[in-house]
Amino acid sequence: MDRKTFIQLSAMGTGALFFSSFFGNLFAKTPPIGELPVTEHSIENVIIGTGYGGAVSALRLCEAGHKVTMLEMGLNWGKSGIPFSAMRNPNESAAWLRTRTIAPFMNIFSVPKFTGTLDRWDFPELKIWMGRGVGGGSLVNGGMAVTPKRNYFQEVLPQLDSELFYSKYFPLVKKELGVNVIDEDFLNKCSFYKFNRVGEEEAHKAGFKTIRVPNVYDFKYMEREYRNEVPRSALAGEVIYGNNHGKVTLDKNYLKKAEDTGKLNILDLHKVEHITHNADDSYTLEVTVINTDGIPLAKKKITAKKLILAAGTMGTLDLLLRSAAENRLKTDENLGKNWGNNGNFMTGRNFVKAFTGGTGVQHSTIPVGGVDNWEDANHPFFTEIAPLPMGMNVATTLYLMINRVKKPGHVTFDKVTGRLDMHWDKTNTAEMLKNAQYFVRKMNKVNGGTRSHMIFHNGFGADVCYHPLGGAVIGKATDSYGKLNGHNNLYVIDGSLIPGTIGVNPFLTITAIAEYCIENIIKKDFT
Ligand code: FAE
């Protein structure tokens, strides 16, 4: 590269990167995509994605003395200084490059087009929500940190040693993620948890068992919020567009620790488009650098000796299946198989205690209770008693159910549309619907209330998926530690390793499996 070109590229690359985070909206005019500057880079270890799988991999590699570069399509919110927005007052953080919010319901708000934290991919029978930004799903999720039931873990992941997971990896990740449990006295007196008290009381009346659900939100902080000693976050309607306080996201634990080693470089607003497998077993990534309007600023060709794909289930499947369809890399017939929605099924009940006080005006955004009906052979399910922070007493309870996935789906890439095809329809969710009908009927019979026709079509949200899992299943599409079949230097470490179901909210399991995989990968392949 000559000096003039270098200076031009540096100005457009580094300068653009800096400005992209802060002044993206001011730079609407950029060169047409074919004329974008392209720079070439060679990097030893690259991780795509900064969610759970990526963050664990980065920390352990850095601690073992390896330099790591992470490529993240979303924004580094912590560094940008831009605040997250609350659900009733959505702003930049609300939606990934949309002009209207994309929450599961109540999308009546216009928002500025911005690289927000929450994205949604729509398929004919399914909508899949995902986190975007440094910290991945940890930025937008409800923080519920649930250990799967051991017998179900063994059933769905017989290829893993459950003794090792329950004695070593689950305790380790609970500590690293800062998992804690709400104090019962606080829960009983906090006016923001009336929805949970009502939810549990009615579940007991109907004969269901409830459980306390651990979380990564700092409940001691929440107690101080309640006493008005610190700025409010969970008690101010913040969650799926990010929390400004209280929630301990990955940028505050795994990623922070990795950065503190001095060996981690995170490049935000870097979207990987394709992966090419080279003859020398390295990988070349084509990357588009965008600004916060989503406008491409530059192109990069990054060649990595070792590549970890941690782009989340859908991101990883998209990159692998797309690149395979373009003959850039080889995959085998296992890729895309055993995909599932983790049995996600949303439902709710309207007119709950409507004449005796409803579910309360104020709702904390952090769920702390669930109905555990998993041992019922006819209707096995777990359901989270979810908040509905609408700022008024809507006398409604909302439930995000997690069921078994009796009929898994699969994912392929359609060359014509250039998009993933999701092979998933009502037959995949039929058993889940039966469980939801059983639950709502039983609850309403004893407690009153109606089906949640106000929030969902016919009262049941079969198409809501927060937990896409599978498609690159460990031990099937990969070896026992996440190395993709047929490859020496390409690893998958994220939700796609879990075969479509884990019976509880999944990030604790994703984090535990990531710890297990990277520990073994370092031992075997990073000598
Ligand atoms: P993930 O955290 O999704 O990270 C992937 C990262 O890769 C993201 O930051 C992407 O922006 C980035 N990326 C993707 N494609 C590219 C590309 N081409 N180039 C560059 N970067 C890319 O992956 N789970 C729980 O256990 N408890 C909960 O309470 C809970 N609540 C949830 C609530 C919501 C609204 C949502 C959407 C999810 C929730 N989840 C919850 C699911 C959980 O967040 C999810 O399973 C994990 O975040 C998945 O972790 P991964 O490491 O697979």
Side-chain angles (χ1 to χ4, degrees):
M1 201 181 337
D2 64 29
R3 189 170 171 275
K4 195 174 154 214
T5 321
F6 177 79
I7 291 168
Q8 277 171 350
L9 292 184
S10 303
M12 292 199 69
T14 325
L17 275 183
F18 171 75
F19 282 112
S20 64
S21 298
F22 297 91
F23 302 111
N25 291 318
L26 303 178
F27 289 85
K29 284 228 159 73
T30 46
I33 205 150
E35 295 168 27
L36 290 175
V38 184
T39 53
E40 295 193 7
H41 310 258
S42 186
I43 298 176
E44 198 84 10
N45 306 308
V46 171
I47 299 176
I48 305 175
T50 58
Y52 293 91
V56 170
S57 308
L59 174 60
R60 300 308 175 205
L61 281 168
C62 290
E63 282 177 341
H66 302 284
K67 280 191 173 171
V68 172
T69 296
M70 298 183 95
L71 305 175
E72 168 56 56
M73 65 191 274
L75 179 64
N76 195 334
W77 288 86
K79 294 223 164 98
S80 77
I82 300 170
F84 296 115
S85 49
M87 288 177 72
R88 293 199 306 276
N89 190 19
N91 211 325
E92 282 98 337
S93 74
W96 178 258
L97 300 175
R98 310 286 212 291
T99 51
R100 188 165 280 274
T101 54
I102 48 167
F105 33 74
M106 284 284 289
N107 289 310
I108 51 171
F109 301 98
S110 297
V111 287
K113 190 175 170 202
F114 200 83
T115 49
T117 55
L118 190 65
D119 197 1
R120 193 183 78 195
W121 286 3
D122 294 356
F123 298 94
E125 306 264 357
L126 198 63
K127 296 187 178 74
I128 302 177
W129 279 264
M130 293 154 290
R132 299 271 176 249
V134 172
S138 78
L139 299 177
V140 300
N141 67 35
M144 297 172 75
V146 195
T147 311
K149 289 189 190 286
R150 186 156 170 183
N151 55 3
Y152 197 58
F153 180 90
Q154 277 167 333
E155 183 185 323
V156 298
L157 287 161
Q159 58 274 53
L160 299 179
D161 174 356
S162 70
E163 174 56 33
L164 191 60
F165 270 81
Y166 283 76
S167 63
K168 178 175 173 182
Y169 295 109
F170 282 119
L172 169 68
V173 301
K174 279 191 213 168
K175 195 163 160 253
E176 294 284 4
L177 292 169
V179 176
N180 68 150
V181 179
I182 195 165
D183 178 82
E184 289 295 315
D185 288 339
F186 171 64
L187 177 59
N188 286 331
K189 71 172 188 231
C190 178
S191 55
F192 289 72
Y193 276 113
K194 187 175 180 201
F195 77 91
N196 188 72
R197 289 195 291 274
V198 169
E200 290 186 358
E201 186 190 302
E202 296 202 331
H204 294 156
K205 264 200 199 161
F208 290 112
K209 187 178 97 186
T210 61
I211 54 162
R212 189 63 54 243
V213 180
N215 205 289
V216 296
Y217 197 94
D218 178 351
F219 286 112
K220 288 295 159 210
Y221 185 90
M222 193 189 286
E223 290 185 23
R224 298 179 65 211
E225 284 180 55
Y226 192 54
R227 297 194 298 263
N228 274 317
E229 293 168 6
V230 289
R232 286 184 165 181
S233 185
L235 304 190
E238 292 176 359
V239 67
I240 61 171
Y241 310 146
N243 283 88
N244 288 301
H245 312 279
K247 191 160 74 177
V248 187
T249 45
L250 291 167
D251 48 318
K252 300 188 178 74
N253 42 52
Y254 276 100
L255 293 171
K256 159 105 183 39
K257 276 192 177 176
E259 279 191 311
D260 288 348
T261 64
K263 297 203 171 288
L264 177 63
N265 183 21
I266 302 180
L267 301 176
D268 68 340
L269 300 173
H270 277 55
K271 182 170 188 295
V272 181
E273 311 280 359
H274 312 276
I275 305 170
T276 305
H277 188 186
N278 302 318
D280 66 350
D281 258 359
S282 65
Y283 294 87
T284 299
L285 314 178
E286 284 174 35
V287 180
T288 307
V289 184
I290 56 174
N291 69 8
T292 53
D293 285 345
I295 292 173
L297 298 177
K299 293 266 178 194
K300 290 185 180 178
K301 277 193 177 186
I302 298 178
T303 297
K305 283 206 179 142
K306 291 209 181 289
L307 176 62
I308 295 178
L309 260 165
T313 298
M314 302 316 296
T316 289
L317 292 179
D318 183 69
L319 279 170
L320 287 177
L321 291 167
R322 175 185 302 276
S323 302
E326 292 162 351
N327 293 321
R328 294 168 187 269
L329 58 75
K330 283 210 166 60
T331 57
D332 70 13
E333 72 288 350
N334 292 300
L335 192 73
K337 301 251 173 75
N338 283 305
W339 185 92
N341 69 347
N342 198 27
N344 282 186
F345 198 100
M346 258 203 193
T347 187
R349 296 166 46 235
N350 297 140
F351 302 108
V352 171
K353 286 189 175 281
F355 304 107
T356 56
T359 48
V361 176
Q362 299 165 310
H363 290 199
S364 166
T365 55
I366 298 300
V368 292
V371 174
D372 183 356
N373 205 50
W374 199 258
E375 305 309 330
D376 178 343
N378 296 323
H379 298 288
F381 64 84
F382 166 80
T383 183
E384 149 190 352
I385 300 170
L388 200 55
M390 291 166 78
M392 57 183 140
N393 193 341
V394 286
T396 291
T397 45
L398 181 68
Y399 306 99
L400 174 58
M401 298 180 82
I402 296 177
N403 298 272
R404 283 171 173 264
V405 178
K406 286 209 170 158
K407 184 180 171 199
H410 67 281
V411 186
T412 53
F413 184 79
D414 183 339
K415 274 190 185 175
V416 178
T417 60
R419 292 193 54 194
L420 291 181
D421 267 348
M422 181 58 69
H423 303 273
W424 184 266
D425 58 35
K426 290 196 174 57
T427 61
N428 299 89
T429 53
E431 288 292 320
M432 305 171 200
L433 173 64
K434 279 187 202 158
N435 284 349
Q437 286 169 331
Y438 165 79
F439 173 63
V440 169
R441 265 190 218 133
K442 202 166 165 189
M443 291 290 278
N444 287 349
K445 193 167 170 200
V446 180
N447 299 295
T450 64
R451 267 195 293 160
S452 58
H453 44 263
M454 291 198 293
I455 347 182
F456 302 107
H457 180 61
N458 279 335
F460 298 108
D463 60 346
V464 174
C465 175
Y466 282 179
H467 304 161
L469 295 175
V473 172
I474 189 164
K476 289 194 173 147
T478 75
D479 74 358
S480 330
Y481 309 118
K483 189 190 284 186
L484 194 70
N485 292 348
H487 293 262
N488 286 323
N489 296 314
L490 176 54
Y491 308 86
V492 173
I493 305 189
D494 60 21
S496 62
L497 292 175
I498 300 174
T501 165
I502 196 63
V504 292
N505 313 60
F507 75 62
L508 208 71
T509 311
I510 295 171
T511 314
I513 293 177
E515 287 278 13
Y516 163 79
C517 287
I518 196 67
E519 183 185 308
N520 285 288
I521 290 167
I522 291 172
K523 263 191 223 152
K524 285 162 72 103
D525 296 355
F526 283 78
T527 43

